[in-house]
Amino acid sequence: MQLLTSLTINTDNKSTQAKSTKNQNTQTFKVHFYPKQYIIETNQKTITIDKHLIIDRDNGNLYEKDGPPPQSEHQQMAFSAFLGTIYILDKPFLLLVDEAELVCTIDEQDIFQISTVAFLPYESNEKIMQSTKANEILKMIGQLRKLLIVGFYFSYGYDLTLSKVKQKIEEKTEEKFLWNLNLIRNHLKQQIDRKWLTNIIQGFINYFYLYINGKKLDFYLMSRRSCKRAGTRYNARGIDDDGNVANFVETEQIIYYNNHCCSHLQVRGSVPIFWNQRGLMTETKLMRSAELTKNAFKKHFKTLLEDYSRVICLNLMAKKKSAEQMVTEGFEEQIKLNSDELNGNVKYEWFDFHHECKNNDFSQSNPLIRKLLEHIKNFGFYLEDLKTKKVLSVQHGIFRTNCMDCLDRTNFIQTKIAMSVFDLSTKQLGVDFQNLLKMSPIEALDEDSSKITNYFIQYFKNIWADNGDMLSIQYTGTGSTHTNITRTGQRDITGTLDHGSKSLWRFLYQNFGDNDKQETIDILLGNHADITASYSKQIDQKLKSRFQEFCSFSERSILVVTWNVGGQRVPQSYDLNKQIIDYSADIIVIGLQEMVTSGTGLVVGSSSYLQDWDKLIANNLRQRDKYIYIKSKELLGMGLFIYAKERFQDRITKVSYDTIKLGFLGQIANKGAVVIKMLIDDTLMCFINCHLEHGQKSLSTRLQSLKDIHQNIFNQIGIGKKKEEKIEQCDYRILFGDLNFRINLEAEQVITSTQRHKLFIEQSRIHESKEILQQLQKYDEIIINREQNQYLKQYKEAEINFLPTYKFEPYSNTYDKLRTPSWTDRILIGQNEHCEHKYQNYKSHDINYSDHRPVSALINVKTRKEIAEKKADVISSIYKTES
């Protein structure tokens, strides 16, 4: 055997990328410009299609036609790839690759990295430029151009979304790695030849080659980033309800040697629980309870087990850092909670990377790799005999590695695992790699690069370092802070300075650049709030009209309570079941106002009050039935609490919240709204707990506040503009709280009426007592203004059969003579078409803790659950009709 140091290498280029050319337009697609159509044809060399593709610029329809395009005078241009149709602020554009760089060739198929892209508008350029949104459209196009040249790849004949083993078994394109799925989805449904549309992935691809014992070894590294839960570092963390995690990357190491092909896969991904980091100081928070996390966690690992058979989770975070400890403990809790379902196929390994490798001694990670070596051997790798095309072995498990960002520490450990696999695979192909090196391959990675004399180790370290850099740039805007370690094996003063510089840039990107980039990613993936594909909109409208064909329906009970507690701290011994929560509904929703009333409390916050109430509510519900915590949220004096029966734990998903301050200049939030929305099966519920402006003369302010709430909740400026359902798009909206709407009469008149009402009740003169309430309601501001106000008229309310709920003297049933008694505390419900609800009861509760009386409503609603197979059939029939 020849020594590694005397191997023949590619002397043309000693960098990682051994085969690279300048940017080029491959001229694979020719686009003909006509006023009403775009017509695309191929060059009949790279891609052979006997027809041409016609795109209707008015309605977006695509169809194929035989023969050449019309010969009338027109403009035409050549492009490298057609990626589909992208919508930018409702304006459709064809997205094409102009120039691309040839990265490598694998299995005789060229792989390109996108260098420049082009946008061709469906509308005329003049019309686009005359639009009021022209500047914003141009800005977004500029951002998309920048995004698409950072690690986006395509190939005409090699499906980059699929690993070697999946290509061998002829699996379909892996949608989670297909970054232009949103751009081609409608085109595919119009049943055109798939070859018109080029797949793109985001990630990293590179290659080098050298010779061992006179035989060529080709080495490829491919990383595929998932487009599910895609985004930037502080905008995309943790898991979603479908089991997708942020920064999920499948990395494949491929070698060709001695007429064999070896492939090995590893994955990385954010810790699979609901958590995020936001704000200038990047505060870490867990967003869901363990019970509500369980279903998404199971989905995540179900997918991993289907794809990779077995999983070993490598968690590299530090338990001495409070944020990392919080997330780690949440991860470990889910591992324990789901142990039965995981059935021993998922194992967990914690390794405190920073502690174990303290003082920059990164060789201290080697004991972890040796500990995992038996698993590495048992998992194996994909091995194919290229002469016989026979698969000799497949990989039977995957290492799922994470740190906080799944970048620096993760890439370093993945590099070492990859080296161990390379050692095992070359041994099977007849090369004793360890003997060639005269040392352990993983220890060779720790050697100072200046002392390394063989090219393979240096090439290997460089390609994995480049992989870490590219994935880091895509997620954080800067290269990996551990590149210096991976590349050189050491952290010298240059590496330390580089680490500090990149950390600073990450902080700056987080606060000044992340949101623009997130918005751009959302536009590309179709998740942006201001995108409406007109063709998709037509399909969605037809789908809604046929929902009965693919849905099953159930009735759910919801108990809603509103109570302005006037700053009173109710003792933990208080019996809510006896006083207020008098029905075991499927969902319990409690909205409080004025949990704290002092100026100091309003400024400092009311989180401790929220915790006390959470504890009190949970303890009471535990005595009634098996309830689980869904979500609670406070906005200083306001608190919103939602619980559900345990049997709904897997049926409640996509829980999110928003708040709006409506106090003085919007800063002191004694007035405002706390809103939580969630899916029950496939029905979207929204609960809006409000505390509106007080005062007999503040009607216009209250009405304006309702407008502000409906226009701004789930639509506020922030982290990108995610495509998120606004209040009015929710199937059911329950608006409740201390709405502060008044009775427009003098206090004395109303008090006299209430006294007469009580007398009639005592005398069992029920009809007369109701007439008094009906007379008072004629002066109620909600009833008076409902039909004229565009927001109030969306809501209905049950008949009010209880006395005004405000204002009482402290700890008494006597109304304050200086204020007009009013129904300030209300529960209203709005619904969309095809929804049904019914109030079972609507009442106040005679509790004199504060100057308000609690009000509750028991409401039954009809919820729906979509049947996926039936829905797919309906969608298919709609597309056929449209075509």
Side-chain angles (χ1 to χ4, degrees):
M1 284 187 180
Q2 293 176 308
L3 291 177
L4 200 60
T5 50
S6 63
L7 296 178
T8 306
I9 64 160
N10 169 31
T11 54
D12 297 330
N13 185 354
K14 292 186 180 181
S15 68
T16 302
Q17 186 173 313
K19 185 174 182 179
S20 177
T21 67
K22 292 181 180 179
N23 296 340
Q24 58 178 302
N25 184 325
T26 66
Q27 302 194 359
T28 302
F29 295 89
K30 185 183 289 184
V31 179
H32 301 263
F33 298 66
Y34 298 96
K36 294 289 185 181
Q37 298 173 332
Y38 285 117
I39 296 181
I40 303 178
E41 59 181 340
T42 69
N43 62 8
Q44 301 298 324
K45 295 177 183 177
T46 312
I47 297 176
T48 304
I49 306 176
D50 295 331
K51 301 177 181 181
H52 58 266
L53 182 67
I54 298 175
I55 303 170
D56 191 315
R57 295 176 67 171
D58 288 331
N59 58 28
N61 284 337
L62 280 78
Y63 57 95
E64 295 170 311
K65 194 171 182 179
D66 293 320
Q71 296 304 306
S72 60
E73 187 175 335
H74 64 277
Q75 183 184 359
Q76 52 186 283
M77 292 179 67
F79 296 94
S80 298
F82 174 38
L83 304 183
T85 296
I86 186 167
Y87 282 80
I88 304 174
L89 300 181
D90 289 351
K91 302 294 184 184
F93 294 80
L94 296 184
L95 179 58
L96 301 108
V97 176
D98 183 10
E99 292 188 331
E101 181 180 358
L102 179 63
V103 175
C104 61
T105 301
I106 185 168
D107 296 344
E108 300 181 345
Q109 299 295 327
D110 291 336
I111 296 177
F112 297 90
Q113 181 174 353
I114 294 174
S115 299
T116 59
V117 293
F119 296 81
L120 303 184
Y122 278 56
E123 297 178 4
S124 67
N125 283 330
E126 293 77 13
K127 193 171 181 180
I128 294 287
M129 295 311 297
Q130 289 168 4
S131 164
T132 56
K133 297 180 179 179
N135 289 336
E136 201 171 348
I137 290 170
L138 291 175
K139 176 191 171 187
M140 289 183 175
I141 286 175
Q143 290 173 184
L144 283 161
R145 289 186 194 278
K146 286 196 290 185
L147 176 72
L148 287 164
I149 62 172
V150 182
F152 280 89
Y153 302 86
F154 68 91
S155 175
Y156 301 116
Y158 191 97
D159 192 339
L160 296 174
T161 71
L162 297 177
S163 62
K164 276 289 176 186
V165 66
K166 287 189 175 180
Q167 288 185 14
K168 190 67 177 179
I169 59 177
E170 298 182 346
E171 285 209 10
K172 294 180 181 178
T173 294
E174 185 75 77
E175 290 189 353
K176 69 171 171 275
F177 299 127
L178 180 58
W179 275 69
N180 59 328
L181 175 62
N182 173 61
L183 312 187
I184 67 176
R185 195 191 306 271
N186 287 332
H187 300 336
L188 292 176
K189 288 172 181 174
Q190 295 179 70
Q191 299 179 331
I192 61 171
D193 193 316
R194 184 64 178 82
K195 288 186 287 187
W196 288 112
L197 300 157
T198 309
N199 293 348
I200 59 170
I201 68 164
Q202 188 190 38
F204 173 81
I205 300 177
N206 226 325
Y207 155 80
F208 66 82
Y209 71 86
L210 40 69
Y211 289 83
I212 297 179
N213 296 334
K215 295 177 181 177
K216 186 182 181 187
L217 182 142
D218 293 291
F219 186 103
Y220 298 86
L221 193 62
M222 296 187 183
S223 283
R224 308 169 179 97
R225 288 192 78 207
S226 173
C227 59
K228 308 293 184 182
R229 196 155 178 76
T232 56
R233 184 190 193 192
Y234 290 109
N235 296 328
R237 292 288 208 192
I239 199 168
D240 66 17
D241 285 287
D242 297 318
N244 305 305
V245 295
N247 203 23
F248 183 84
V249 183
E250 178 187 81
T251 299
E252 183 176 21
Q253 178 174 284
I254 305 170
I255 62 170
Y256 288 82
Y257 182 75
N258 198 18
N259 291 314
H260 287 79
C261 172
C262 295
S263 159
H264 182 262
L265 298 167
Q266 297 186 65
V267 295
R268 66 179 75 188
S270 192
V271 171
I273 61 175
F274 292 95
W275 64 284
N276 71 14
Q277 283 183 311
R278 296 281 165 83
L280 194 64
M281 304 310 292
T282 62
E283 181 185 2
T284 303
K285 290 183 179 179
L286 301 189
M287 305 304 293
R288 299 263 188 101
S289 65
E291 293 92 344
L292 278 192
T293 300
K294 191 175 179 183
N295 193 41
F297 188 88
K298 285 191 294 187
K299 285 181 183 178
H300 177 68
F301 281 99
K302 181 176 182 286
T303 302
L304 288 181
L305 292 172
E306 287 172 353
D307 284 342
Y308 309 112
S309 299
R310 287 178 289 170
V311 182
I312 292 181
C313 302
L314 300 179
N315 179 11
L316 308 178
M317 295 199 290
K319 287 187 178 178
K320 288 187 177 179
K321 294 183 177 180
S322 59
E324 297 195 5
Q325 179 184 4
M326 182 193 304
V327 177
T328 291
E329 288 176 352
F331 193 177
E332 292 173 349
E333 182 179 19
Q334 286 300 315
I335 292 286
K336 291 174 185 175
L337 281 175
N338 291 280
S339 58
D340 291 341
E341 289 93 334
L342 298 177
N343 199 26
N345 292 315
V346 176
K347 297 187 182 301
Y348 174 85
E349 184 75 30
W350 172 59
F351 181 80
D352 187 338
F353 185 92
H354 287 320
H355 175 73
E356 298 296 337
C357 299
K358 58 189 174 187
N359 300 320
N360 290 334
D361 185 0
F362 299 101
S363 66
Q364 292 304 313
S365 62
N366 293 336
L368 170 67
I369 306 304
R370 294 190 184 99
K371 181 180 178 180
L372 297 173
L373 191 57
E374 200 58 38
H375 293 295
I376 294 172
K377 290 177 180 177
N378 290 337
F379 284 176
F381 47 86
Y382 173 83
L383 178 62
E384 180 184 355
D385 186 320
L386 297 176
K387 283 186 176 180
T388 64
K389 303 299 181 185
K390 183 179 179 182
V391 176
L392 304 177
S393 67
V394 293
Q395 189 172 334
H396 294 292
I398 198 86
F399 289 98
R400 183 203 188 281
T401 309
N402 75 268
C403 47
M404 200 66 166
D405 300 327
C406 306
L407 295 173
D408 312 320
R409 290 169 279 182
T410 294
N411 199 71
F412 183 84
I413 292 298
Q414 284 194 335
T415 303
K416 295 221 162 183
I417 292 172
M419 177 55 82
S420 298
V421 173
F422 180 83
D423 181 31
L424 291 171
S425 57
T426 50
K427 190 171 291 183
Q428 190 156 339
L429 298 179
V431 177
D432 189 342
F433 192 54
Q434 185 161 327
N435 186 51
L436 285 174
L437 291 173
K438 304 301 183 189
M439 65 187 306
S440 162
I442 60 171
E443 289 176 0
L445 296 178
D446 300 322
E447 291 288 293
D448 188 334
S449 290
S450 63
K451 300 174 183 177
I452 295 176
T453 55
N454 63 71
Y455 287 113
F456 178 81
I457 293 296
Q458 195 58 60
Y459 275 34
F460 183 90
K461 291 169 72 170
N462 278 345
I463 200 170
W464 270 96
D466 290 344
N467 176 68
D469 266 345
M470 180 65 84
L471 297 178
S472 181
I473 288 168
Q474 290 162 354
Y475 194 46
T476 71
T478 73
S480 170
T481 60
H482 279 49
T483 294
N484 179 256
I485 306 163
T486 306
R487 208 180 293 279
T488 68
Q490 306 289 323
R491 171 160 281 164
D492 54 20
I493 185 61
T494 304
T496 302
L497 292 172
D498 184 53
H499 181 281
S501 173
K502 286 173 178 173
S503 297
L504 174 62
W505 276 109
R506 284 184 181 181
F507 174 81
L508 294 173
Y509 275 118
Q510 166 212 334
N511 287 290
F512 303 107
D514 261 13
N515 289 355
D516 281 347
K517 187 174 178 182
Q518 182 68 51
E519 186 173 45
T520 309
I521 292 169
D522 291 339
I523 291 170
L524 179 65
L525 299 178
N527 296 328
H528 192 273
D530 293 329
I531 292 175
T532 305
S534 56
Y535 189 76
S536 294
K537 199 172 181 180
Q538 296 169 19
I539 302 299
D540 287 343
Q541 287 171 347
K542 286 184 167 59
L543 193 62
K544 285 177 182 177
S545 69
R546 296 177 59 179
F547 77 99
Q548 301 257 11
E549 298 176 40
F550 58 86
C551 291
S552 61
F553 299 91
S554 304
E555 192 172 86
R556 310 289 179 214
S557 59
I558 303 174
L559 179 65
V560 182
V561 176
T562 177
W563 188 10
N564 184 321
V565 295
Q568 301 296 321
R569 297 199 83 154
V570 178
Q572 288 295 317
S573 59
Y574 192 75
D575 191 345
L576 287 173
N577 288 325
K578 182 179 179 181
Q579 301 292 344
I580 300 175
I581 306 174
D582 52 5
Y583 185 82
S584 296
D586 297 326
I587 312 291
I588 304 287
V589 181
I590 297 177
L592 303 179
Q593 306 84 41
E594 294 192 14
M595 292 190 299
V596 56
T597 55
S598 69
T600 303
L602 289 172
V603 173
V604 173
S606 50
S607 59
S608 66
Y609 293 80
L610 186 89
Q611 291 166 11
D612 288 347
W613 276 100
D614 257 329
K615 184 178 177 182
L616 175 63
I617 295 167
N619 287 339
N620 274 267
L621 290 178
R622 227 175 265 123
Q623 298 167 30
R624 181 169 283 281
D625 206 330
K626 289 184 177 180
Y627 280 92
I628 59 168
Y629 168 81
I630 302 299
K631 185 69 183 174
S632 60
K633 179 61 184 172
E634 55 88 22
L635 179 63
L636 300 182
M638 291 167 284
L640 180 54
F641 310 80
I642 301 181
Y643 287 77
K645 286 185 176 177
E646 189 178 55
R647 61 191 174 89
F648 287 94
Q649 124 176 341
D650 292 342
R651 307 182 76 164
I652 293 176
T653 58
K654 299 191 176 176
V655 181
S656 61
Y657 69 86
D658 202 356
T659 61
I660 183 170
K661 299 178 181 180
L662 299 169
F664 178 67
L665 299 178
Q667 296 303 310
I668 300 178
N670 57 333
K671 301 294 185 287
V674 181
V675 186
I676 295 175
K677 66 179 177 181
M678 64 190 194
L679 276 175
I680 303 176
D681 291 329
D682 293 298
T683 299
L684 189 59
M685 307 287 305
C686 184
F687 303 98
I688 310 158
N689 176 27
C690 302
H691 190 192
L692 305 185
E693 188 63 36
H694 67 278
Q696 202 78 20
K697 297 180 180 180
S698 299
L699 172 62
S700 60
T701 304
R702 289 189 279 274
L703 294 175
Q704 179 62 44
S705 293
L706 283 180
K707 180 180 179 181
D708 292 340
I709 290 166
H710 284 79
Q711 288 190 347
N712 295 318
I713 286 289
F714 300 120
N715 194 32
Q716 299 185 66
I717 296 170
I719 298 150
K721 288 183 72 179
K722 288 273 189 179
K723 184 176 278 187
E724 189 170 12
E725 299 87 352
K726 310 302 180 289
I727 288 176
E728 292 172 10
Q729 293 172 295
C730 297
D731 296 302
Y732 296 97
R733 291 91 60 188
I734 298 181
L735 176 73
F736 63 106
D738 181 1
L739 304 185
N740 254 319
F741 287 102
R742 303 306 172 101
I743 294 174
N744 288 327
L745 292 171
E746 294 298 324
E748 186 178 345
Q749 287 177 267
V750 179
I751 291 173
T752 300
S753 294
T754 61
Q755 290 168 346
R756 290 178 62 224
H757 176 273
K758 289 177 183 177
L759 180 63
F760 288 151
I761 290 291
E762 289 171 1
Q763 297 172 349
S764 298
R765 296 163 65 183
I766 305 303
H767 180 70
E768 287 97 329
S769 68
K770 281 191 174 182
E771 283 185 338
I772 289 174
L773 295 181
Q774 288 167 0
Q775 282 298 116
L776 289 176
Q777 287 171 41
K778 290 179 181 178
Y779 301 93
D780 175 75
E781 288 180 339
I782 287 183
I783 293 171
I784 293 170
N785 290 278
R786 175 176 282 133
E787 292 307 315
Q788 291 76 38
N789 183 271
Q790 69 176 101
Y791 300 104
L792 280 176
K793 70 180 180 182
Q794 297 175 22
Y795 294 89
K796 295 187 181 302
E797 184 179 22
E799 184 181 359
I800 299 175
N801 288 317
F802 49 88
L803 288 171
T805 56
Y806 173 85
K807 175 182 183 177
F808 291 90
E809 292 179 358
Y811 301 101
S812 86
N813 291 324
T814 303
Y815 286 109
D816 184 335
K817 293 180 174 58
L818 299 178
R819 303 286 182 93
T820 299
S822 298
W823 288 289
T824 58
D825 308 278
R826 310 286 275 270
I827 301 171
L828 291 73
I829 182 167
Q831 66 181 41
N832 285 345
E833 191 179 2
H834 307 303
C835 294
E836 296 176 12
H837 79 271
K838 183 179 180 181
Y839 279 84
Q840 294 301 310
N841 63 52
Y842 188 32
K843 60 188 179 182
S844 67
H845 299 261
D846 191 19
I847 299 170
N848 59 11
Y849 258 97
S850 75
D851 53 2
H852 289 254
R853 294 295 175 262
V855 172
S856 69
L858 179 62
I859 305 170
N860 284 1
V861 298
K862 184 175 78 172
T863 62
R864 71 180 182 277
K865 183 173 178 61
E866 295 178 357
I867 302 164
E869 297 79 9
K870 291 184 178 180
K871 184 178 180 180
D873 291 341
V874 172
I875 291 173
S876 179
S877 70
I878 292 171
Y879 270 97
K880 284 177 182 176
T881 304
E882 289 295 306
S883 299

